Amino acid sequence: MSRLRLAGLIAGALAVLTLAVLFALGLRINTGSGMPDLAALKAPAADHDVEIIRDAWGVPHVYGARDRDVAFGLAYAQSEDDWATLQEVVVATRGDLARHKGMDAAVTDYLVHLFRIWPTLDTDYDALPAHIREIAESYAAGANLWAAENPGQVWDGVLPMTGRDVIAGFMFKTPFFYGLDKTFKELFAETRAKEISLGPDNAFMWTDKPTYPIGSNGFAVAPSRSTDGHTRLLVNSHQPYTGPVAWYEARLKSEEGLDITGGVFPGAPVILHGHNRHLGWANTVNKPDLADVYVLEVNPDNADQYRLDGAWRDMDVSTAIIRVKLFGPFEWHAEREVKFSDHGPVLETEHGTYSVRYAGMGETRQLVQYHALNRATSLEEWLEAMRLLALPSINYIYADKAGNIAYVYNGQMPVRPEGWDWQQYLPGDRSDLIWQEYHDFADIPKLINPPSGFVINANNTPFEATAEADDLRPEDFPAHMGIETQMTNRGLRALELMRADDAISDEEFLAYKFDKTYSQDSELAALIRLWLAQDFSGDEMMEAAQAHLAAFDMSADKDDTHAALALLAGEPVVWARMQGEPEPDPVDSLREAVAHLTTHWGRLDVPWGEVNRLRRGDVDLALGGGPDLLRAVYARDPKPDGRLVAQGGDTMIYVADWAPDGTLRTRSIHQFGSATLDEDSPHYADQALLYADQKFRTIPLDRSALEAEATRTYRPGRDG
């Protein structure tokens, strides 16, 4: 045998051996799941009676005989406009995102397994009310229909979408709104982040340590506080401009009584916040203490046991297979143990073994509550829906045509034993510290029809929500609820404006929403005072910067020539505080802002709108507003031209206005338009100019007005 042939045989043998080893270690070839029967995916359309009318701005108005028909149509319309995001949400909640997105998504997949989303659904899905399962399944059927008509845009393995996927989306996402992700990130740090609570002999005192949520505004003004006897509601959530938690606008109307307009996220078959003919609500993020970390003592002879009440207890152990995309047809199958204690999911780290118990764990009724809120027609019915307490967090600002207003600091508040510091980690060997119940709805903070006639929330403490005389008091609520006590600039400004105005007109209401001023009690104001107190003698540029800041009137209007320096210098410091990250030195941040402006513009007096931009396709517009302003605009990481491009903040904004006779006027604006992905659509950026100019469009709620401006009318599954 020749040496060349022998070398070839050896190389071939080594290659086979290497592949064998790699396959043993988890390397696999993704052969694909194949496309299911497309005719079968289209068949449920025959059981759904739905009509979609796109208004002048492309927003879908979905009419159906039943609520489930409307859910079917909403899914179809949203799939038309943003299928890519919808399928990503579905795959993520199945714990299979890394197979499509690669290693960066593996943590998301692991958390789905760790939260036991699918074992819980296998047990509890059939116990959900029949009408809720029908709505979820009809939404899935609408998405399946569009996907079957457009198979080239569908990832392998996504279809069919099911009603369980819809419920799983709520289960997985809702705990992250109060910051559960930060709890898990903290546990994966290199060292233990907190001490272990010492118990009742070291009683816990709640402190003012801030949490700095990024955004959302909600106002409600009663007839007694308005100049014209109207009731007004501002719905103004701050979200990313794109992605799985970006707002999609729709109007839903069924013959069963559903008639509501507002916003949804991909995968939601009902309106998440907005208003119907009778009432409406705005959501803002709140962050009570809803998650507890327990330190487990693990059996040194058995890593699957932990000590509880003096005895070793077995963990519930299963294996998760995480499929990770590599290259070409290859994917990596990583096996990871998933452990669960009596407390909750278990995490094994270099500095200890922990278990987490959190609000929303095992909860499947989110859609039950959202649907009840959508269908409510009075304050009493709306409060009855809120009493379900299926949503683990989120503030609610409410108003209705009868002139009622309310603020509810909603949350699944654990009933915890007193005397322990629940902000620290808890010993995991005591079953009496494993809370089992939530406080009743009657126990959570709320204001209903305060005499002052207005309520606000801008991610600030619930103890500053209206006139001082009517505000809730911290001492009336247990310390273990962990209710936040911080103020945002937006909260400060909303109260400064509304407390001083005994009669709020429509024009003033809108002006307050778009206020661009930083309070003298804000963090930015404190930073400016710090910068002005520095001795920059002999540093000509920094002396010029001080003089420039001294003339700043605290307004981030797009034409203001002082805002750019203040905001560019202040944003990195305040952002770090928001995220709980190490703060840059404020003086260094000011120097960097000076360098940025002089490098790109050659001067400090650059109009803010020259720096702060809204970009979408060919649209490039100046924006007023900025971080933590009531006119909220968040833009980080300057582009090569030195400009900031807005990425989030004010997105879908609604103003619902009920006259004394109950007549409803509704106005809305979206930062881009209804066509999320289609750059060729006229609705890709058709609302951007209105958004930049702070103008609204009126929503046609009556069918005749809608038909007069309709751009398209169709019946999914029945046309053609």
Side-chain angles (χ1 to χ4, degrees), residues 210 212 522-528 530-531 565-593 627-628 636:
Y212 302 108
S522 67
E523 292 184 71
L524 182 62
L527 284 170
I528 290 174
L530 181 150
W531 290 323
L565 177 61
L567 271 63
L568 286 172
E571 190 273 346
V573 180
V574 177
W575 180 266
R577 292 174 185 173
M578 285 180 171
Q579 302 303 312
E581 298 172 353
E583 298 176 23
D585 180 86
V587 173
D588 291 343
S589 188
L590 178 59
R591 290 186 185 277
E592 290 175 8
D628 201 19
R636 308 199 76 237

Side-chain angles (χ1 to χ4, degrees), residues 280-590:
W281 67 93
N283 289 138
T284 70
V285 169
N286 63 351
K287 293 194 176 182
D289 179 18
L290 299 180
D292 292 311
V293 177
Y294 299 83
V295 181
L296 301 185
E297 179 186 349
V298 177
N299 187 346
D301 298 321
N302 185 344
D304 296 337
Q305 290 184 332
Y306 65 101
R307 187 180 297 278
L308 189 66
D309 295 336
W312 295 118
R313 184 74 62 93
D314 289 334
M315 299 181 192
D316 182 354
V317 182
S318 60
T319 300
I321 298 177
I322 311 296
R323 301 188 294 180
V324 181
K325 178 181 179 180
L326 295 177
F327 54 89
F330 293 103
E331 61 186 29
W332 191 266
H333 286 202
E335 293 188 1
R336 293 291 181 267
E337 283 191 331
V338 178
K339 296 184 177 182
F340 219 80
S341 72
D342 282 23
H343 316 75
V346 173
L347 289 91
E348 297 172 316
T349 75
E350 293 183 0
H351 46 79
T353 300
Y354 305 92
S355 190
V356 181
R357 193 165 189 80
Y358 60 92
M361 187 168 69
E363 180 63 76
T364 61
R365 301 171 300 138
Q366 295 92 342
L367 182 54
V368 178
Q369 182 165 345
Y370 276 123
H371 181 251
L373 291 170
N374 276 229
R375 290 286 297 269
T377 61
S378 67
L379 175 61
E380 292 73 21
E381 290 180 1
W382 188 85
L383 288 173
E384 191 62 29
M386 292 299 296
R387 289 187 185 97
L388 290 171
L389 280 179
L391 304 173
S393 66
I394 300 295
N395 291 304
Y396 282 78
I397 298 290
Y398 169 94
D400 66 30
K401 71 177 184 180
N404 297 300
I405 63 171
Y407 165 51
V408 177
Y409 184 83
N410 174 70
Q412 293 178 327
M413 308 284 194
V415 178
R416 298 171 168 121
E418 296 289 352
W420 292 79
D421 185 348
W422 291 90
Q423 296 300 294
Q424 302 297 336
Y425 297 159
L426 284 302
D429 61 349
R430 297 179 50 152
S431 63
D432 62 323
L433 297 183
I434 306 174
W435 46 264
Q436 304 294 336
E437 298 177 350
Y438 299 124
H439 282 278
D440 290 338
F441 181 70
D443 299 335
I444 67 175
K446 65 181 73 64
L447 285 167
I448 298 176
N449 289 324
S452 58
F454 77 93
V455 289
I456 69 98
N457 186 265
N459 309 108
N460 55 285
T461 176
F463 305 125
E464 296 276 357
T466 187
E468 292 180 76
D470 299 336
D471 266 327
L472 300 168
R473 300 289 183 260
E475 58 268 22
D476 293 334
F477 301 91
H480 68 243
M481 282 186 172
I483 298 171
E484 65 259 47
T485 57
Q486 93 287 346
M487 288 298 293
T488 59
N489 177 72
R490 290 169 292 108
L492 290 167
R493 284 297 296 162
L495 291 173
E496 289 170 0
L497 294 165
M498 290 196 175
R499 283 175 174 172
D501 191 345
D502 292 334
I504 301 171
S505 67
D506 182 57
E507 293 76 15
E508 289 169 329
F509 188 86
L510 298 182
Y512 296 163
K513 185 273 148 300
F514 289 114
D515 180 75
K516 303 176 191 67
T517 300
Y518 286 97
S519 168
Q520 290 299 330
D521 293 327
S522 67
E523 292 184 71
L524 182 62
L527 284 170
I528 290 174
R529 289 191 289 269
L530 181 150
W531 290 323
L532 294 179
Q534 301 300 307
D535 183 3
F536 292 128
S537 300
D539 188 333
E540 183 178 344
M541 186 57 71
M542 294 302 288
E543 286 182 322
Q546 278 184 316
H548 199 64
L549 289 172
F552 180 40
D553 66 358
M554 306 302 291
S555 171
D557 186 82
K558 66 182 179 181
D559 297 322
D560 191 283
T561 57
H562 297 83
L565 177 61
L567 271 63
L568 286 172
E571 190 273 346
V573 180
V574 177
W575 180 266
R577 292 174 185 173
M578 285 180 171
Q579 302 303 312
E581 298 172 353
E583 298 176 23
D585 180 86
V587 173
D588 291 343
S589 188
L590 178 59

